[in-house]
Amino acid sequence: MFIGREQELRKLNQMYQSGKLEVAIIYGRRRVGKTTLITEFCKDKKTVFFAAQENNAAQNLELLSYAIAEIDSGSTTANMTYRSFGDAFNRLAEMSATERIVLVIDEYPYLAQAERGISSMLQNYLDHQFKNTKLFLILCGSSMSFMEKQVLGYQSSLYGRRTAQFKIRPFHYLDTGKWFPDYSCEEKAIMYGITGGIPLYLEQFSPALSIRENLLENLFDKNAMLFEEPANLLKQELREPSTYNAVITAIASGKTKLSEIASTVGIETGLCTKYLSNLITLGVIRRETPVTDPASKRPLYLIDDQFFRFWFTFVSRNMSAVLSGRMEQNYGVTVENRLSDYMGLTFEKMCRDYILYYDNDLPFPIDQIGQWWGGHPRTHKQAQIDVVASSACDDSCIIGSCKFRNIPIDIDELDLMKDYAQAMGHFQNHYYYFFSKFGFTDSLRGQSEAETLRLLTLEDIYRLQI
């Protein structure tokens, strides 16, 4: 079942219809669905699909030769390997001189590691032999740092040759919900908070099972595929996975400042910054500053990958129960009773995504969106606003409060947000958005006629899907 990625498919097909040389760079973290997207795009097209291996150049050349032979009706090399990558590329130039050919090099970083000069060679072919052909080249990779620096970066041999690039991200909450059509909005939201919208993870969960049944089968089982997934990803991407594991564990426990994380892990702040930077590149964590002060020197570090956050919040802390087979008895106390609190940060992200991608009734075009925190000048206490979206036109902003709780939001929350708006300063005009899982009190609803106030339930932000 293929779900989502409509915009990416539309763009790729527009490029295909051009009939001229096109170069698409597709990259993103592992498991995010890059190969599935490419396969869907190529299913009705003449395609050389070459999946590079973490192996030497000779064996990768052999694989490329076989991939070409599969669609090359004029080939005499069906049972042999080209002498060089240059010979293989020359044959591709001949084949695409008169007909549209898609060449996919999946996991391009593996090929570049095996054949050091391949990027320079491709640059030369794109500038000359491929220039006037009908070739559609797709370079795909999971190594975020390599693709951004060695393929898209200014110093790369391939810089300036791409005609489009696609950074494939996890699904937003709406597309994630499509995997569970019969779930309630609350259940869909929780599944988004567990999987983070990663297609491979979503495929493991059955829409015919309850959340509890799915978790016990796919995460709280020492033999399940997803049980050791974060550890396996860290081992594939990073050296010293144990230190990175400690950094993520510290953040999951509530240590969000650099000094707190470094102290908890037991390393210097300078070294900790390097570990954090690598985790940011992988998309596991994010560095966040108040939306009014993007250059702040006191950022917070939060787990951005929902699956990692769920795993380090629940699986890691229940490891003994999982390994001893006691999770079924412990589930209610250690997981179910804590899900609403866990979903707080996930719900904030969903609300920001709703404003950014799905709200068709915004009071102004959005410039920046994030959260805000800072000292309150009157109370001298820390104030925090879940969602702040600034206008691209004037000094207006949206102030959002998000509550994933089983109690309705009352009018005192509006009073509090108005107070925090004054503490934040910076903006003259304020629009107040309240997002609630459980709805709103009559006293707050009585204020909802005001042009500057919107009340949105969990069902409202899923309404495009209902």
Side-chain angles (χ1 to χ4, degrees):
M1 178 172 61
F2 185 83
I3 290 176
R5 309 299 186 206
E6 291 89 355
Q7 292 182 353
E8 292 87 348
L9 275 175
R10 189 180 307 115
K11 177 63 176 178
L12 286 167
N13 280 305
Q14 286 175 353
M15 295 170 67
Y16 183 84
Q17 294 300 323
S18 75
K20 63 181 181 180
L21 174 66
E22 299 280 6
V23 181
I25 310 300
I26 298 178
Y27 69 109
R29 60 152 286 181
R30 296 183 189 278
R31 323 294 202 234
V32 81
K34 303 180 297 298
T35 302
T36 302
L37 168 64
I38 294 170
T39 302
E40 180 71 14
F41 165 67
C42 294
K43 67 181 181 182
D44 57 351
K45 302 172 178 66
K46 197 166 186 179
T47 303
V48 175
F49 196 105
F50 165 43
Q53 302 293 308
E54 199 170 9
N55 220 320
N56 62 30
Q59 288 170 319
N60 274 292
L61 178 58
E62 183 178 3
L63 292 172
L64 175 59
S65 302
Y66 290 160
I68 295 172
E70 284 182 357
I71 69 160
D72 187 2
S73 58
S75 173
T76 60
T77 61
N79 296 310
M80 62 177 289
T81 302
Y82 286 99
R83 293 175 300 174
S84 67
F85 283 100
D87 285 350
F89 290 157
N90 284 334
R91 181 56 190 154
L92 286 164
E94 293 171 1
M95 293 166 62
S96 58
T98 56
E99 66 174 329
R100 194 57 147 167
I101 300 290
V102 180
L103 169 62
V104 178
I105 304 180
D106 198 7
E107 290 302 347
Y108 178 71
Y110 289 158
L111 178 61
Q113 184 178 14
E115 181 69 15
R116 297 290 183 181
I118 197 70
S119 291
S120 296
M121 181 183 292
L122 270 176
Q123 173 215 326
N124 184 65
Y125 271 82
L126 291 169
D127 291 347
H128 298 95
Q129 291 92 332
F130 292 157
K131 185 174 183 180
N132 296 312
T133 68
K134 298 178 181 296
L135 184 70
F136 192 131
L137 173 63
I138 296 176
L139 300 180
C140 178
S142 300
S143 174
M144 304 282 280
S145 59
F146 181 93
M147 297 300 290
E148 290 181 344
K149 295 176 183 177
Q150 303 300 320
V151 176
L152 295 170
Y154 183 74
Q155 301 298 324
S156 168
S157 302
L158 295 170
Y159 180 77
R161 273 71 184 180
R162 72 186 185 277
T163 52
Q165 73 280 331
F166 302 81
K167 185 173 184 178
I168 307 302
R169 302 178 186 276
F171 287 140
H172 293 144
Y173 71 91
L174 274 184
D175 278 342
T176 299
K178 293 175 184 177
W179 292 81
F180 307 97
D182 295 327
Y183 272 23
S184 68
C185 293
E186 180 178 353
E187 290 170 328
K188 289 179 180 181
I190 291 172
M191 289 307 299
Y192 175 66
I194 294 167
T195 65
I198 298 294
L200 183 66
Y201 305 160
L202 289 165
E203 290 172 358
Q204 310 308 309
F205 291 87
S206 169
L209 299 179
S210 68
I211 291 175
R212 181 181 185 277
E213 291 168 333
N214 268 313
L215 286 175
L216 290 172
E217 181 176 309
N218 293 293
L219 269 171
F220 298 117
D221 180 342
K222 64 183 178 181
N223 299 311
M225 188 204 89
L226 296 180
F227 174 61
E228 295 183 332
E229 174 69 0
N232 290 334
L233 283 176
L234 293 178
K235 289 174 185 176
Q236 289 176 5
E237 297 289 348
L238 301 164
R239 299 175 182 175
E240 304 176 84
S242 60
T243 304
Y244 287 99
N245 187 78
V247 169
I248 301 170
T249 299
I251 299 173
S253 70
K255 312 298 184 186
T256 57
K257 298 177 181 177
L258 174 60
S259 58
E260 295 174 338
I261 299 166
S263 176
T264 302
V265 177
I267 57 178
E268 298 293 328
T269 55
L271 184 58
C272 189
T273 299
K274 185 190 79 169
Y275 289 116
L276 291 168
S277 178
N278 289 336
L279 288 170
I280 290 170
T281 299
L282 289 178
V284 175
I285 69 169
R286 71 178 186 273
R287 180 183 185 274
E288 188 149 334
T289 57
V291 73
T292 57
D293 186 16
S296 173
K297 295 182 179 180
R298 290 189 285 182
L300 300 181
Y301 294 92
L302 305 171
I303 300 178
D304 199 34
D305 185 299
Q306 299 292 320
F307 181 80
F308 268 74
R309 193 167 75 86
F310 185 89
W311 195 95
F312 279 88
T313 300
F314 292 106
V315 182
S316 177
R317 297 177 187 179
N318 287 286
M319 192 62 69
S320 296
V322 174
L323 295 177
S324 63
R326 291 181 288 105
M327 258 322 283
E328 189 164 1
Q329 300 95 297
N330 293 3
Y331 180 85
V333 175
T334 61
V335 180
E336 195 166 47
N337 291 350
R338 299 178 57 206
L339 273 177
S340 286
D341 288 340
Y342 167 81
M343 283 296 296
L345 291 178
T346 300
F347 191 44
E348 289 175 18
K349 174 174 170 51
M350 291 170 58
C351 297
R352 286 193 287 266
D353 284 349
Y354 172 79
I355 291 172
L356 196 56
Y357 300 109
Y358 303 121
D359 191 345
N360 294 319
D361 194 28
L362 290 170
F364 47 72
I366 299 296
D367 179 25
Q368 301 289 328
I369 190 166
Q371 60 174 312
W372 175 86
W373 63 91
H376 195 297
R378 179 172 54 80
T379 65
H380 305 292
K381 295 181 179 180
Q382 187 80 355
Q384 192 261 337
I385 302 175
D386 299 333
V387 179
V388 177
S390 62
S391 168
C393 305
D394 55 28
D395 58 356
S396 299
C397 77
I398 291 170
I399 289 176
S401 177
C402 315
K403 304 298 181 188
F404 200 86
R405 300 174 183 170
N406 291 328
I407 54 174
I409 295 180
D410 200 359
I411 196 168
D412 59 353
E413 186 70 14
L414 176 60
D415 296 333
L416 181 65
M417 287 301 106
K418 288 180 177 179
D419 184 42
Y420 283 3
Q422 296 304 313
M424 177 176 62
H426 200 79
F427 302 102
Q428 294 297 316
N429 304 310
H430 306 102
Y431 295 82
Y432 298 95
Y433 280 43
F434 291 93
F435 299 87
S436 174
K437 183 184 84 168
F438 204 72
F440 310 92
T441 63
D442 290 340
S443 58
L444 182 58
R445 285 193 177 280
Q447 302 291 318
S448 64
E449 296 301 319
E451 294 181 1
T452 58
L453 177 63
R454 286 189 67 187
L455 306 180
L456 296 154
T457 64
L458 186 60
E459 286 72 20
D460 289 330
I461 70 171
Y462 271 104
R463 198 159 301 283
L464 292 172
Q465 204 176 80
I466 297 175

